[in-house]
């Protein structure tokens, strides 16, 4: 029911080869509890993996050890989720209390303005103190953003802290995919978050212009003691009346999943940024859904599907960089990438069946572009949709709802899948009459006694033209 794909961070050199800048800092969780309860999460760590790792383990214990059951109302679930995030962060800070206390104690032994003195000019005692302080800083630094999905009583709840992303894709009976982004990232360009900071006394205009707070674009995060306890020492946050960077999740739900066919995607910020850096942010949601749909039609394992999609994004990002085109300047590096896919009554490809059997939907092509253009031009995902007796060329389009406005039970308007490599819809996908594919029986042809199958493509016209053009040359028989 669930698969996870990952890729480590990468920095490209002038020759296009990539190197790892730090160990993988992402984390994830996927568990099934009692009473039809499912819990999934993706955590984007930074300055180390400690917070992401701690949160992925502790959050599970705070939610799946009897805290949730089928009798809980929507308000109960929201309260329990919010409380769990609060307990997780407080528990994490308890684990670094001793290190923080030692750090504060040792700082008293350093003379004023000691940071401006070269290390080799310090006394031996000061050098030891400096080295220990650096060790302690590495031990206590770091934070994480999180997006968590809870399925309870066939209802979906999304709890988000930071800049990861959740997408819900619903497949209709006519083969269309409707894409809904659940919630908005808590970032320095989120108007609601800027208003929240302004109410605390923070200059939101400066925050927007800076684009980052203490090295991160998120305005909500787990851990990161610097912005939680020492925010008055950070210029952008120094005017805040109370703690401005919080770990309180924004919870969206509940959406009923009864009779829903599709899949849920949880993505780390690194995956989102890599795709948006390569192609622009306009159609990133539709592009990732198209990739997932294509791989679901080909693969028999969700783990393989997830990893294949991550590898696609990784290759696309690298190809844009080596292309040297305009967007290459945005693609010199990417962070760790994590993708979690949870299917909802969505069948995987059957490895036993051929593309001419079984009634599954198989992709013919998924058009992507490395073009530097960012104009919104449309292209439709072409699919082969095997019917009982013939092959037909169907279409599959994707749409998106307004961000952060889940509308359970309503049908969102559809729009064609956007790309940047064509100015009009693909004629192959708009016709829908199967003209590109020779119609033949759904059963594969059986080989004869020589092990060959009867030809189903007529090359006689080709042979005739070839003979006319090469009448003066030596005739060479061609076998089909």
């Amino acid at each position: 029911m669930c698969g996870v794909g990952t890729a480590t961070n990468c920095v490209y050199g002038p020759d296009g080869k990539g190197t790892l800048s730090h160990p993988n800092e992402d984390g994830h969780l996927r568990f099934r509890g009692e009473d039809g309860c499912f819990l999934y999460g993706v955590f984007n760590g930074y300055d180390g993996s400690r917070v992401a790792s701690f949160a992925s383990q502790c959050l599970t214990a705070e939610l799946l050890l009897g805290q949730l059951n089928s009798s809980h109302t929507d308000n109960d679930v929201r309260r329990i989720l919010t409380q769990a995030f609060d307990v997780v962060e407080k528990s994490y800070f308890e684990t670094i209390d001793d290190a923080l206390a030692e750090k504060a104690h040792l700082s008293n032994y350093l003379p004023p303005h000691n940071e401006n003195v070269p290390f080799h000019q310090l006394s031996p005692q000061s050098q030891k103190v400096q080295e220990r302080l650096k060790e302690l800083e590495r031990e206590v630094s770091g934070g994480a953003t999180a997006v968590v999905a809870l399925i309870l009583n066939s209802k979906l709840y999304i709890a988000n802290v930071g800049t990861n992303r959740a997408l819900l894709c619903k497949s209709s009976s006519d083969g269309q995919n409707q894409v809904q982004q659940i919630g908005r990232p808590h970032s320095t360009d989120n108007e609601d978050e800027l208003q929240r900071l302004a109410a605390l006394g923070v200059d939101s205009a400066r925050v927007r212009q800076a684009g980052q707070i203490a090295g991160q674009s998120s305005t909500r995060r787990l851990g990161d003691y610097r912005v939680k306890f020492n925010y008055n020492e950070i210029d952008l946050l120094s005017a805040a009346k109370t703690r401005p960077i919080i770990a309180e999740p924004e919870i969206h739900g509940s959406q009923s999943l009864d009779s829903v066919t599709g899949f849920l995607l949880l993505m780390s910020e690194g995956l989102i940024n890599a795709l948006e850096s390569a192609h622009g942010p306009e159609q990133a949601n539709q592009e990732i859904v198209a990739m997932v749909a294509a791989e679901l039609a080909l693969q028999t394992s969700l783990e393989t599907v997830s990893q294949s999609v991550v590898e696609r994004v990784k290759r696309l990002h690298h190809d844009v960089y080596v292309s040297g085109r305009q967007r290459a300047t945005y693609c010199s590096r990417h962070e760790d990438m994590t993708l979690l896919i949870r299917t909802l009554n969505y069948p995987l490809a059957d490895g036993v069946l051929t593309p001419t059997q079984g009634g599954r939907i198989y992709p013919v092509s998924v058009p992507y572009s490395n073009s530097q253009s960012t104009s919104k031009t449309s292209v439709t995902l072409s699919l082969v949709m095997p019917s009982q007796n013939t092959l037909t060329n169907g279409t599959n389009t994707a749409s998106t709802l307004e961000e952060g406005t889940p509308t359970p039970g309503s049908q969102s308007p559809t729009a064609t899948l956007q790309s940047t490599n064509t100015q009009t819809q693909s004629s192959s996908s708009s016709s829908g009459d199967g003209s590109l594919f020779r119609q033949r029986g759904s059963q594969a042809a059986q080989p004869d006694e020589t092990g060959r199958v009867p030809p189903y493509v007529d090359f006689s016209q080709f042979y005739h033209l070839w003979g006319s053009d090469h009448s003066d040359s030596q005739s060479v028989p061609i076998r089909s």
Side-chain angles (χ1 to χ4, degrees), residues 85-99:
F85 275 81
D86 182 56
V87 170
V88 166
E89 180 169 73
K90 287 180 178 177
S91 299
Y92 169 72
F93 283 135
E94 287 177 0
T95 66
I96 63 173
D97 269 350
D98 291 343

Side-chain angles (χ1 to χ4, degrees), residues 443-479:
Q443 298 300 319
Q446 299 299 315
D448 57 21
E449 63 276 2
T450 66
R452 298 180 178 179
V453 297
Y456 56 89
V457 179
D458 186 1
F459 283 97
S460 57
Q461 182 67 11
F462 168 76
Y463 295 147
H464 174 73
L465 294 174
W466 176 275
S468 300
D469 293 341
H470 298 77
S471 55
D472 296 336
S473 61
Q474 184 178 358
S475 176
V476 178
I478 304 176
R479 300 182 182 274

Side-chain angles (χ1 to χ4, degrees), residues 348-394:
L348 281 169
D350 189 338
V352 177
L353 300 178
T354 68
T356 59
Q357 298 173 317
R360 289 279 299 129
I361 298 178
Y362 296 84
V364 173
S365 61
V366 182
Y368 304 111
S369 169
N370 293 337
S371 171
Q372 60 183 338
S373 170
T374 58
S375 61
K376 291 187 177 181
T377 52
S378 60
V379 68
T380 304
L381 176 62
S382 302
L383 300 175
V384 179
M385 303 174 65
S387 61
Q388 184 175 359
N389 296 314
T390 61
L391 285 176
T392 60
N393 181 33

